[in-house]
Amino acid sequence: MSEVALDLPAPLAAIQSQAGADGLSYAGGVPPALAWELFSSGQALLVDVRTAEERKFVGHVPGSAHVAWATGTALTRNPRFARELEAKIGGKEAVALLLCRSGKRSALAAEAAAKAGLVHVFNVLEGFEGEIDEHQQRGKDDGWRFRGLPWIQD
């Protein structure tokens, strides 16, 4: 993993340092409230990696960027993801927080970004809808929306 940039916000520097110590291949996981704080204050970019359909029909964070990790109902992996992400965020050194439904696809996307040389790409823990619960439902225990963070629906 690369050296932490001097201008990386302190909470992200600590997360990235811990991720390195834990052997993660990407910059680490960020709790939803911290992700909103960093994004809304302009200290990090927020990139939704869900499908365009998920963003439209489930909702999304206002002002967030979009680069699909996978597309369609079969969730076919986007082979251009890392290149598209780099172009969208403005380079390999940009600070980006990736958001998906539950935090699983965004973790895979963060790994792919790190392998492509993007050094400050983090996963937003819990995702937009949260983990599926014992009743096969999302949004009851965790996630961006559960935490009451800003979102809109088209």
Side-chain angles (χ1 to χ4, degrees):
M1 193 167 283
S2 173
E3 294 275 329
V4 175
L6 293 175
D7 58 349
L8 193 63
L12 291 181
I15 289 168
Q16 191 164 20
S17 177
Q18 186 62 51
D22 292 345
L24 286 181
S25 63
Y26 59 96
V30 178
L34 177 58
W36 171 250
E37 179 184 320
L38 294 166
F39 171 61
S40 64
S41 66
Q43 297 179 74
L45 300 169
L46 183 64
V47 181
D48 194 326
V49 301
R50 296 174 301 153
T51 66
E53 294 82 5
E54 284 176 288
R55 282 177 52 91
K56 179 165 185 58
F57 297 115
V58 179
H60 61 275
V61 179
S64 63
H66 179 237
V67 178
W69 168 249
T71 58
T73 56
L75 294 179
T76 303
R77 167 92 158 68
N78 175 2
R80 298 172 308 283
F81 175 77
R83 287 191 309 266
E84 291 175 10
L85 178 63
E86 183 178 349
K88 183 76 73 167
I89 65 175
K92 293 186 185 301
E93 297 289 327
V95 178
L97 312 172
L98 304 186
L99 180 68
C100 72
R101 179 179 60 194
S102 66
K104 290 180 178 66
R105 278 180 282 168
S106 50
L108 294 172
E111 287 177 8
K115 286 178 185 163
L118 285 80
V119 295
H120 302 303
V121 176
F122 297 81
N123 175 36
V124 177
L125 302 169
E126 303 177 14
F128 188 74
E129 294 180 78
E131 191 56 61
I132 198 162
D133 68 13
E134 67 276 2
H135 302 291
Q136 303 301 303
Q137 297 177 340
R138 295 185 188 278
K140 306 286 184 168
D141 297 319
D142 61 3
W144 188 277
R145 292 190 319 183
F146 175 81
R147 304 269 177 221
L149 298 168
W151 66 283
I152 56 173
Q153 190 151 9
D154 291 340

